[in-house]
Amino acid sequence: MKRTIIKIIALIILLVSVFATVSCSKTENKLIKAVDIKLTNEEYAFVCKEGNTALVNSMNSFMAQIKESGEFDALVAKYFEGEGEKVGYPVATTDVQNTKDLFVVATNCPFEPFEYMEKDGLIYGLDIEIAAAYAKANGLELVVKNIGFDEIFVQVGAGYADIGMAGITVDAEREKTYDFTVPYYEASQKLIVLSDNSDFDKCESVSDVESMLSSLNGVGVGYQSATTGSLYVNGDELWGFSGFDNLDGKAYANAQVAVSDLINGNIYAVVLDEAPANAIIDATNEASSLNLALKLENFINTLKNPHYSGILLLGLLNTVKVAVLGLIIGIIIGTLIAIVRVAPKYKLAYKILDKICSLYTLIFRGTPIVAQLLIAYYVIIPSIGIKMDALNVGMIVFGMNSGAYVSEIMRGGINSVDKGQMEAGRALGLTYSTTMLKIVVPQAVKNILPTLGNEFISLIKETSVLSFIAVYDLYKALLDIGMVKYDSMIPYLMMGVIYIVLVLIISAGIKIIERRFAKSDRN
Amino acid sequence: MIEIKNLHKKFDGKDVLDGINVTIHEGEQVAVIGPSGSGKSTFIRCINCLEDPDEGIIMFDGENIADFSVDINLHRQNMGMVFQNFNLFSNKTVLENITLAPKHIYGKQMKNQGMSKKQIAEHFDAEAMALLKRIGLEDKADAYPSTLSGGQKQRIAIVRALAMKPKVILFDEPTSALDPEMVGEVLDLMRSLANEKLTMVIVTHEMGFAREVASRVLFMDGGNIVEDGTPDEVFGNPKHPRLKEFLSKIL
């Protein structure tokens, strides 16, 4: 009890010092601006799974129809000129099984004004309203999945989403593996720099900007991974981009983190799509004028919205669920493997099982859990044709992964139990497996409890990779909350705090269990 | 009751048991004596196949239990064993130590005969309590083994074996790990079992006990039984020179 109190006090001191450091160091607020020259000419379209001509044709004729009727122009005016009332839609927070009655759209926020989240927890944007209109016209129910930009392609390819609508640029490389609809918007890339940067003030054309960029050596330039910005910086033959060998290209998960890094002085510039760049500059400049107290207030206000407190709770629940169930599955699998591995190998069946188990351990310990999640969700499940919720896939993969680690822990635990315990059980006529499960394993578990606790703690932290398969875990929930105001500082700090509190609770729980197990040692 | 023919056991290519032939009859109390490394412990551990014999036949209840295709678990139920280091289940209470195997093995049959789980548990708990009463440890029923003395542990290990109602009990140096003042209580219990004509095979260094309690003594040397007779014959009139040498050293 005393130690727990000391830990909590230490934690509070740590937090206060972190907040103090953060608030003191931010004496001057840096602002950002766009260099007002279009670097590229590109077109946005919607992306479908290769061969899904039915959807491509249907979407094309729908688009032609709303262009004809003026509905499309009204939507563009609404989002680019602010004319008319915008309509928001809910975002799917659980994995939706793609059925015929649904129109599942994969998108990536924030990409204002094409798709972005508002404080009310709804998703808005040109793409979203087109999707909604299409769904309505075809009698389908709209489901919007807000996931990573590069994941959109994977999800569409695996059939987890019908269509990707996220200001996606038509490019020759993508056309090889996906089908695009007719383009609906002409776009370009723009360069974002700090407001006090005067390097580009005299530039009048693309070639001026590019020669300026070519003259800079070794500076970092950020872009959102898998976007045209990435091709622009690194060069691409099909696009005719020569790229900049002198620049240090840096890929970010979304535009917002790229811009944060720019403000923090880690990179020199960011290449972004023009339309969202304007929105993100406005929001970021507004956010950086806020002090810590206002940021905290913003965060709390965001949480007052039931959608955001809801996803935070959901994220917390999913994180705990996957870690707890993953550990339980892990203990079961791990114990079975350990028993096979320590069993005497008289019979051929045991020899074969032993080889299978060591292969299993090799595979699951030898590959990162992210790779296992991606392979399970995007390769194995679609190819065997079963429908499974991403959260369940996550639980199973975490369980199987943990099983490999627990098996080695358990093997050590079993070996640490006196051989006489097994002999005594066998001499009474109990079978190997009965003696193992009733006598040896319980003693082994007692010995390995602290190590098992460590496994649980690392499991709960590792669950943050669940967002790779579009599960709302704690990380993804706080990421979303950070997107609302284009300010992630408080959400990131909160993420750290929540994880530490979770780990403290788990540690206390392990202590209690250890004490209960220790009763057979009492003298 | 147990008929052993040409029993061989090798460890790392070295013959530890070198073709043992012996028959143990019902109601006999057989003491196995001999110098260290003579193969006594390996011999007794081979009888219930805790060590798998490399060669030879062990006939018990009309079956060769050295054969891998025989269900050894079934035969071990009739063949109790008491170890030098007691080997009480340290995660179980004294009562659970005694009732675990009977409940698990005999309980299944009783359940098929229509007894409820509770009835079965009560039946075996009562039996175990009667056994504990016999050794005067009924107040330790809910204690864990780590809280007991060596002598108490070994007496509980013996009644744990008894709870299975075996036809024979094998004792592998049951008093060797005990403090001297605790040897007596364990030997007293074994003596009372001998008086009840329980079949026993006892590997022991307690010569006085072997002479007094055993009905037959086997002297082992170099992986073989070199002398086999009544206590009076073996201790009173040793024939084999190795036995004479052994007795002269310890008596």
Side-chain angles (χ1 to χ4, degrees), chain A residues 497-521:
Chain A
V497 172
I498 296 174
Y499 275 113
I500 287 188
V501 169
L502 278 178
V503 168
L504 273 178
I505 294 171
I506 295 167
S507 309
I510 294 165
K511 283 261 163 61
I512 293 171
I513 298 171
E514 268 178 59
R515 223 169 287 152
R516 287 201 52 183
F517 265 85
K519 67 180 180 194
S520 57
D521 287 339

mmCIF file of all heavy atoms in Angstrom, chain A residues 497-521:
data_model
loop_
_atom_site.group_PDB
_atom_site.id
_atom_site.type_symbol
_atom_site.label_atom_id
_atom_site.label_comp_id
_atom_site.label_asym_id
_atom_site.label_seq_id
_atom_site.Cartn_x
_atom_site.Cartn_y
_atom_site.Cartn_z
ATOM 1 N N VAL A 497 -0.085 8.997 -19.841
ATOM 2 C CA VAL A 497 -0.633 8.896 -18.477
ATOM 3 C C VAL A 497 -1.535 7.671 -18.354
ATOM 4 O O VAL A 497 -1.417 6.882 -17.417
ATOM 5 C CB VAL A 497 -1.425 10.175 -18.126
ATOM 6 C CG1 VAL A 497 -2.148 10.000 -16.811
ATOM 7 C CG2 VAL A 497 -0.490 11.370 -18.070
ATOM 8 N N ILE A 498 -2.420 7.478 -19.334
ATOM 9 C CA ILE A 498 -3.365 6.355 -19.234
ATOM 10 C C ILE A 498 -2.620 5.020 -19.247
ATOM 11 O O ILE A 498 -2.920 4.133 -18.459
ATOM 12 C CB ILE A 498 -4.417 6.427 -20.366
ATOM 13 C CG1 ILE A 498 -5.268 7.683 -20.197
ATOM 14 C CG2 ILE A 498 -5.318 5.186 -20.336
ATOM 15 C CD1 ILE A 498 -6.230 7.942 -21.331
ATOM 16 N N TYR A 499 -1.609 4.915 -20.117
ATOM 17 C CA TYR A 499 -0.861 3.653 -20.147
ATOM 18 C C TYR A 499 -0.153 3.398 -18.813
ATOM 19 O O TYR A 499 -0.160 2.285 -18.297
ATOM 20 C CB TYR A 499 0.163 3.644 -21.292
ATOM 21 C CG TYR A 499 -0.429 3.207 -22.615
ATOM 22 C CD1 TYR A 499 -0.545 4.085 -23.677
ATOM 23 C CD2 TYR A 499 -0.884 1.897 -22.791
ATOM 24 C CE1 TYR A 499 -1.098 3.693 -24.889
ATOM 25 C CE2 TYR A 499 -1.436 1.497 -23.994
ATOM 26 C CZ TYR A 499 -1.541 2.395 -25.047
ATOM 27 O OH TYR A 499 -2.089 1.987 -26.229
ATOM 28 N N ILE A 500 0.436 4.455 -18.233
ATOM 29 C CA ILE A 500 1.131 4.259 -16.955
ATOM 30 C C ILE A 500 0.139 3.833 -15.872
ATOM 31 O O ILE A 500 0.416 2.926 -15.091
ATOM 32 C CB ILE A 500 1.880 5.541 -16.526
ATOM 33 C CG1 ILE A 500 3.112 5.715 -17.412
ATOM 34 C CG2 ILE A 500 2.293 5.464 -15.061
ATOM 35 C CD1 ILE A 500 4.042 6.812 -16.981
ATOM 36 N N VAL A 501 -1.018 4.482 -15.858
ATOM 37 C CA VAL A 501 -2.017 4.124 -14.840
ATOM 38 C C VAL A 501 -2.437 2.656 -15.025
ATOM 39 O O VAL A 501 -2.526 1.895 -14.063
ATOM 40 C CB VAL A 501 -3.239 5.068 -14.911
ATOM 41 C CG1 VAL A 501 -4.372 4.542 -14.049
ATOM 42 C CG2 VAL A 501 -2.840 6.465 -14.471
ATOM 43 N N LEU A 502 -2.637 2.248 -16.291
ATOM 44 C CA LEU A 502 -3.002 0.850 -16.556
ATOM 45 C C LEU A 502 -1.929 -0.092 -16.019
ATOM 46 O O LEU A 502 -2.228 -1.091 -15.358
ATOM 47 C CB LEU A 502 -3.147 0.623 -18.070
ATOM 48 C CG LEU A 502 -4.470 1.019 -18.710
ATOM 49 C CD1 LEU A 502 -4.423 0.770 -20.205
ATOM 50 C CD2 LEU A 502 -5.611 0.234 -18.091
ATOM 51 N N VAL A 503 -0.665 0.236 -16.296
ATOM 52 C CA VAL A 503 0.431 -0.627 -15.862
ATOM 53 C C VAL A 503 0.492 -0.685 -14.334
ATOM 54 O O VAL A 503 0.714 -1.752 -13.747
ATOM 55 C CB VAL A 503 1.769 -0.144 -16.462
ATOM 56 C CG1 VAL A 503 2.940 -0.842 -15.811
ATOM 57 C CG2 VAL A 503 1.773 -0.384 -17.968
ATOM 58 N N LEU A 504 0.238 0.463 -13.672
ATOM 59 C CA LEU A 504 0.236 0.475 -12.206
ATOM 60 C C LEU A 504 -0.856 -0.444 -11.657
ATOM 61 O O LEU A 504 -0.630 -1.197 -10.711
ATOM 62 C CB LEU A 504 -0.012 1.898 -11.693
ATOM 63 C CG LEU A 504 1.217 2.789 -11.529
ATOM 64 C CD1 LEU A 504 0.795 4.171 -11.061
ATOM 65 C CD2 LEU A 504 2.186 2.174 -10.529
ATOM 66 N N ILE A 505 -2.027 -0.370 -12.286
ATOM 67 C CA ILE A 505 -3.138 -1.217 -11.826
ATOM 68 C C ILE A 505 -2.769 -2.686 -11.998
ATOM 69 O O ILE A 505 -2.971 -3.504 -11.099
ATOM 70 C CB ILE A 505 -4.435 -0.884 -12.600
ATOM 71 C CG1 ILE A 505 -4.900 0.537 -12.255
ATOM 72 C CG2 ILE A 505 -5.535 -1.893 -12.277
ATOM 73 C CD1 ILE A 505 -6.035 1.043 -13.116
ATOM 74 N N ILE A 506 -2.189 -3.014 -13.169
ATOM 75 C CA ILE A 506 -1.811 -4.406 -13.417
ATOM 76 C C ILE A 506 -0.779 -4.874 -12.390
ATOM 77 O O ILE A 506 -0.909 -5.946 -11.809
ATOM 78 C CB ILE A 506 -1.224 -4.563 -14.838
ATOM 79 C CG1 ILE A 506 -2.298 -4.256 -15.879
ATOM 80 C CG2 ILE A 506 -0.693 -5.976 -15.045
ATOM 81 C CD1 ILE A 506 -1.732 -4.072 -17.260
ATOM 82 N N SER A 507 0.237 -4.033 -12.137
ATOM 83 C CA SER A 507 1.277 -4.426 -11.186
ATOM 84 C C SER A 507 0.669 -4.732 -9.828
ATOM 85 O O SER A 507 1.038 -5.715 -9.175
ATOM 86 C CB SER A 507 2.319 -3.312 -11.031
ATOM 87 O OG SER A 507 2.774 -2.910 -12.287
ATOM 88 N N ALA A 508 -0.282 -3.861 -9.406
ATOM 89 C CA ALA A 508 -0.924 -4.090 -8.105
ATOM 90 C C ALA A 508 -1.680 -5.414 -8.130
ATOM 91 O O ALA A 508 -1.633 -6.189 -7.168
ATOM 92 C CB ALA A 508 -1.864 -2.935 -7.788
ATOM 93 N N GLY A 509 -2.373 -5.687 -9.265
ATOM 94 C CA GLY A 509 -3.120 -6.938 -9.388
ATOM 95 C C GLY A 509 -2.215 -8.150 -9.287
ATOM 96 O O GLY A 509 -2.532 -9.131 -8.614
ATOM 97 N N ILE A 510 -1.049 -8.066 -9.947
ATOM 98 C CA ILE A 510 -0.108 -9.190 -9.921
ATOM 99 C C ILE A 510 0.362 -9.449 -8.492
ATOM 100 O O ILE A 510 0.443 -10.591 -8.046
ATOM 101 C CB ILE A 510 1.098 -8.899 -10.843
ATOM 102 C CG1 ILE A 510 0.628 -8.841 -12.294
ATOM 103 C CG2 ILE A 510 2.170 -9.979 -10.698
ATOM 104 C CD1 ILE A 510 1.629 -8.235 -13.222
ATOM 105 N N LYS A 511 0.625 -8.358 -7.752
ATOM 106 C CA LYS A 511 1.063 -8.492 -6.350
ATOM 107 C C LYS A 511 0.046 -9.294 -5.548
ATOM 108 O O LYS A 511 0.396 -10.187 -4.782
ATOM 109 C CB LYS A 511 1.232 -7.109 -5.720
ATOM 110 C CG LYS A 511 2.483 -6.399 -6.121
ATOM 111 C CD LYS A 511 3.566 -6.542 -5.051
ATOM 112 C CE LYS A 511 4.920 -6.194 -5.653
ATOM 113 N NZ LYS A 511 4.966 -4.817 -6.146
ATOM 114 N N ILE A 512 -1.233 -8.941 -5.752
ATOM 115 C CA ILE A 512 -2.293 -9.619 -4.993
ATOM 116 C C ILE A 512 -2.312 -11.105 -5.338
ATOM 117 O O ILE A 512 -2.370 -11.959 -4.456
ATOM 118 C CB ILE A 512 -3.666 -8.962 -5.291
ATOM 119 C CG1 ILE A 512 -3.686 -7.536 -4.733
ATOM 120 C CG2 ILE A 512 -4.811 -9.795 -4.695
ATOM 121 C CD1 ILE A 512 -4.886 -6.722 -5.160
ATOM 122 N N ILE A 513 -2.218 -11.407 -6.641
ATOM 123 C CA ILE A 513 -2.256 -12.817 -7.051
ATOM 124 C C ILE A 513 -1.042 -13.561 -6.498
ATOM 125 O O ILE A 513 -1.163 -14.669 -5.992
ATOM 126 C CB ILE A 513 -2.302 -12.925 -8.588
ATOM 127 C CG1 ILE A 513 -3.578 -12.257 -9.118
ATOM 128 C CG2 ILE A 513 -2.254 -14.385 -9.028
ATOM 129 C CD1 ILE A 513 -3.622 -12.117 -10.613
ATOM 130 N N GLU A 514 0.127 -12.916 -6.552
ATOM 131 C CA GLU A 514 1.337 -13.555 -6.025
ATOM 132 C C GLU A 514 1.159 -13.915 -4.564
ATOM 133 O O GLU A 514 1.550 -14.984 -4.124
ATOM 134 C CB GLU A 514 2.538 -12.605 -6.159
ATOM 135 C CG GLU A 514 3.307 -12.799 -7.445
ATOM 136 C CD GLU A 514 4.463 -11.818 -7.560
ATOM 137 O OE1 GLU A 514 5.333 -11.821 -6.673
ATOM 138 O OE2 GLU A 514 4.483 -11.051 -8.527
ATOM 139 N N ARG A 515 0.537 -12.985 -3.832
ATOM 140 C CA ARG A 515 0.345 -13.218 -2.401
ATOM 141 C C ARG A 515 -0.578 -14.422 -2.177
ATOM 142 O O ARG A 515 -0.353 -15.237 -1.303
ATOM 143 C CB ARG A 515 -0.227 -11.954 -1.746
ATOM 144 C CG ARG A 515 0.429 -11.639 -0.422
ATOM 145 C CD ARG A 515 0.043 -10.267 0.072
ATOM 146 N NE ARG A 515 0.685 -9.212 -0.700
ATOM 147 C CZ ARG A 515 0.154 -7.994 -0.859
ATOM 148 N NH1 ARG A 515 -1.015 -7.693 -0.341
ATOM 149 N NH2 ARG A 515 0.798 -7.074 -1.553
ATOM 150 N N ARG A 516 -1.611 -14.524 -3.011
ATOM 151 C CA ARG A 516 -2.540 -15.645 -2.859
ATOM 152 C C ARG A 516 -1.854 -16.968 -3.163
ATOM 153 O O ARG A 516 -2.087 -17.973 -2.506
ATOM 154 C CB ARG A 516 -3.750 -15.457 -3.784
ATOM 155 C CG ARG A 516 -4.675 -14.377 -3.307
ATOM 156 C CD ARG A 516 -6.039 -14.557 -3.904
ATOM 157 N NE ARG A 516 -6.553 -15.908 -3.710
ATOM 158 C CZ ARG A 516 -7.706 -16.318 -4.198
ATOM 159 N NH1 ARG A 516 -8.440 -15.507 -4.893
ATOM 160 N NH2 ARG A 516 -8.125 -17.545 -3.988
ATOM 161 N N PHE A 517 -0.999 -16.947 -4.207
ATOM 162 C CA PHE A 517 -0.300 -18.168 -4.582
ATOM 163 C C PHE A 517 0.714 -18.586 -3.518
ATOM 164 O O PHE A 517 1.091 -19.745 -3.439
ATOM 165 C CB PHE A 517 0.426 -17.979 -5.913
ATOM 166 C CG PHE A 517 -0.378 -18.443 -7.083
ATOM 167 C CD1 PHE A 517 -1.303 -17.620 -7.689
ATOM 168 C CD2 PHE A 517 -0.202 -19.733 -7.581
ATOM 169 C CE1 PHE A 517 -2.054 -18.048 -8.761
ATOM 170 C CE2 PHE A 517 -0.948 -20.169 -8.650
ATOM 171 C CZ PHE A 517 -1.878 -19.328 -9.248
ATOM 172 N N ALA A 518 1.169 -17.592 -2.740
ATOM 173 C CA ALA A 518 2.237 -17.875 -1.784
ATOM 174 C C ALA A 518 1.738 -18.620 -0.560
ATOM 175 O O ALA A 518 2.508 -18.975 0.304
ATOM 176 C CB ALA A 518 2.914 -16.574 -1.376
ATOM 177 N N LYS A 519 0.429 -18.897 -0.481
ATOM 178 C CA LYS A 519 -0.104 -19.470 0.772
ATOM 179 C C LYS A 519 0.493 -20.841 1.097
ATOM 180 O O LYS A 519 0.670 -21.184 2.247
ATOM 181 C CB LYS A 519 -1.634 -19.550 0.733
ATOM 182 C CG LYS A 519 -2.167 -20.536 -0.290
ATOM 183 C CD LYS A 519 -3.668 -20.574 -0.276
ATOM 184 C CE LYS A 519 -4.141 -21.576 -1.323
ATOM 185 N NZ LYS A 519 -5.515 -21.510 -1.654
ATOM 186 N N SER A 520 0.875 -21.622 0.048
ATOM 187 C CA SER A 520 1.449 -22.934 0.333
ATOM 188 C C SER A 520 2.899 -22.833 0.799
ATOM 189 O O SER A 520 3.514 -23.837 1.138
ATOM 190 C CB SER A 520 1.336 -23.848 -0.886
ATOM 191 O OG SER A 520 1.959 -23.267 -1.988
ATOM 192 N N ASP A 521 3.469 -21.593 0.801
ATOM 193 C CA ASP A 521 4.847 -21.436 1.286
ATOM 194 C C ASP A 521 4.887 -21.033 2.749
ATOM 195 O O ASP A 521 5.921 -21.057 3.377
ATOM 196 C CB ASP A 521 5.562 -20.317 0.501
ATOM 197 C CG ASP A 521 5.896 -20.776 -0.892
ATOM 198 O OD1 ASP A 521 5.947 -21.998 -1.094
ATOM 199 O OD2 ASP A 521 6.091 -19.906 -1.749
#
